Amino acid sequence: MKFKQSDAQNQRIERITTSHLVVGIDMAKETHVAQASNFLGIVVSKRHYSFSNSMEGFEKLNRWMTELQQKHRLKKLIIGMEPTGHYWFNLANWLADKGLHVVMVNPATTKRNKENRDNSPSKNDPKDALIIADSVSRGFYYEYTRQSLVFQRLRTIMSDREFWVSNSVRLQNRIIRWLDIRFPEYPSVFKDWTCKRSFATLKTLPCPQDLETYAIPDVIKAWRTHIQRAGGVTGIEKAAQLIAHAKRSVGDRTAVEESKADLIRLIEEYERVTAMLEQFEKDIEALLSEIPMAQQLRTIKGLGKIFTAAILAGTGDLSQYAHGRQVLRKAGLNLAESTSGKRKGRIVLSKRGDSALRKYLYLATAQLVWNNPVFRHLHEHNVKEKKMKKQQSIFKLIGKLARILVGIVQRGEKFTPEKTVIAWAEAA
């Protein structure tokens, strides 16, 4: 990855020689299909080869490829597959552990090339495997490199965290929906329904009819079963507001017991997921302490541990990158334009890359614009002096952030605001 895109493509094409056996594999849950060709894309196997997603199947594939190499006197081997879903992962790692050359083909490439072989839009596993092999023989692939263990651990834990964050959001939306139906006036009392007094209310007196016959001391007494400091001026004020709103509530009063049981389950699950996410943060902090470059990235004010972990989980070892453009391409944040003759198409993001990395690069940049004086200054300059729209400026600064990340890791330096401002001024 230490060369520009055009150079990279030339290097990939030069690797495919007359001595190569090119194998394309179409991945599936239970049975994979392989096809083999030479460097010209000419099929060298009598028919496609199917094998199971098991150790026996992997070993059979290895023997089949070895036999083809011996039969056609091909000394080198390159194996291509699409990184779709998760079915490819175990086979790719097994082959890489054997010291075999494994590469990845973008699914968009095979989708657009499926008519090149037979001028037909038909699709089946043997044909897909052959299209993958054909794409590899023409150099349309990228290398599969396994990250070191610490980056694999980081990627796994961030993927798990993303799943539980999504669950947390769904639970929160469900609880808010419950309140909208049963007690729509509730947000007038507690703007943040996750505060301690709110949780105590939802666990003991969630419905308006629960509060109608209660006095202020009764509400505070009910709160004390869950929190210690329930009273005070604020507690009395909130209790009075709750009672007043409950008496005039328009919330639904049917199936009360069933709805309460539902709310209890939702709150218990939300608290369980919240505790899990807190543990995730501790584990991420500990894992980042094992990665020296993570400490460099965290010298950028405003780039917290979650953003640092998410970026490193998506990019892997940043020292493998020669330029920030490669990070943008990996995230699908590189620009794409369609022009023809006098028609000038709209420039858009390619979005051909890691969607999670793309998301966190965007969120991290927005956070830096808010908290980091350097990025705030650059953003204001873009908006006021260059007349960019705010969103356009954010995307431009994502490119700046990518270059900074790669630069400080390559040079083994901490983030220096003065250097960033000088470099930006010279570029401008």
Side-chain angles (χ1 to χ4, degrees), residues 197 216 220 223-224 228-240:
R197 283 194 180 89
I216 292 175
I220 293 174
W223 283 346
R224 285 203 174 100
Q228 292 181 348
R229 300 182 63 182
V233 176
T234 303
I236 294 171
E237 182 183 345
K238 292 296 181 183

Side-chain angles (χ1 to χ4, degrees), residues 30-45:
E30 296 178 353
T31 304
H32 309 313
V33 176
Q35 280 275 30
S37 71
N38 61 14
F39 77 106
L40 292 174
I42 299 172
V43 179
V44 297
S45 53

Side-chain angles (χ1 to χ4, degrees), residues 25-33 51-53 58 82 84 86-89 91 125:
I25 303 176
D26 183 68
M27 310 303 298
K29 181 177 177 64
E30 296 178 353
T31 304
H32 309 313
V33 176
F51 61 100
S52 63
N53 185 29
F58 293 177
E82 291 179 330
T84 51
H86 56 274
Y87 302 130
W88 63 275
F89 193 70
L91 177 58
D125 293 347

Side-chain angles (χ1 to χ4, degrees), residues 149-371:
L149 179 59
V150 68
F151 287 103
Q152 292 183 44
R153 291 170 60 198
L154 187 61
R155 186 173 182 85
T156 299
I157 196 172
M158 288 305 296
S159 176
D160 292 345
R161 179 185 178 275
E162 193 73 8
F163 173 81
W164 290 109
V165 166
S166 299
N167 272 358
S168 174
V169 171
R170 281 194 288 269
L171 287 167
Q172 291 180 62
N173 290 339
R174 185 77 180 179
I175 292 170
I176 291 170
R177 175 185 178 275
W178 191 99
L179 289 171
D180 288 342
I181 294 172
R182 299 288 170 177
F183 201 165
E185 298 82 7
Y186 193 83
S188 300
V189 182
F190 297 110
K191 292 183 180 180
D192 178 13
W193 66 268
T194 64
C195 71
K196 291 182 179 180
R197 283 194 180 89
S198 174
F199 260 120
T201 303
L202 294 177
K203 289 176 180 179
T204 53
L205 307 165
C207 295
Q209 50 267 47
D210 295 330
L211 292 156
E212 287 175 341
T213 59
Y214 270 52
I216 292 175
D218 299 325
V219 175
I220 293 174
K221 183 179 178 181
W223 283 346
R224 285 203 174 100
T225 60
H226 296 284
I227 55 176
Q228 292 181 348
R229 300 182 63 182
V233 176
T234 303
I236 294 171
E237 182 183 345
K238 292 296 181 183
Q241 290 176 1
L242 266 177
I243 294 169
H245 283 297
K247 289 179 179 179
R248 297 179 56 82
S249 177
V250 296
D252 184 19
R253 292 173 176 252
T254 60
V256 174
E257 294 306 316
E258 291 77 9
S259 66
K260 282 185 180 180
D262 179 40
L263 181 62
I264 290 171
R265 286 189 293 268
L266 290 171
I267 290 176
E268 287 177 351
E269 184 65 10
Y270 174 75
E271 289 182 321
R272 187 181 74 86
V273 172
T274 300
M276 197 183 303
L277 292 175
E278 290 173 356
Q279 185 59 48
F280 270 124
E281 291 210 16
K282 294 177 182 177
D283 294 342
I284 289 167
E285 182 76 42
L287 199 51
L288 288 178
S289 66
E290 300 178 25
I291 306 175
M293 69 178 64
Q295 311 312 314
Q296 291 177 260
L297 302 191
R298 294 188 68 179
T299 60
I300 304 175
K301 181 182 178 182
L303 193 67
K305 60 187 171 189
I306 297 300
F307 289 133
T308 301
I311 290 170
L312 289 177
T315 61
D317 187 352
L318 282 170
S319 63
Q320 296 178 350
Y321 294 77
H323 197 279
R325 283 191 298 267
Q326 293 170 316
V327 174
L328 298 180
R329 182 169 291 278
K330 187 173 181 63
L333 286 166
N334 54 308
L335 300 179
E337 181 182 9
S338 175
T339 57
S340 178
K342 294 183 178 180
R343 182 182 68 83
K344 184 172 178 63
R346 183 183 174 192
I347 298 175
V348 296
L349 297 175
S350 71
K351 293 188 178 179
R352 296 278 173 81
D354 188 329
S355 59
L357 177 59
R358 184 163 62 246
K359 165 188 166 182
Y360 278 103
L361 281 173
Y362 176 85
L363 293 176
T365 305
Q367 182 80 359
L368 289 172
V369 167
W370 185 260
N371 291 321

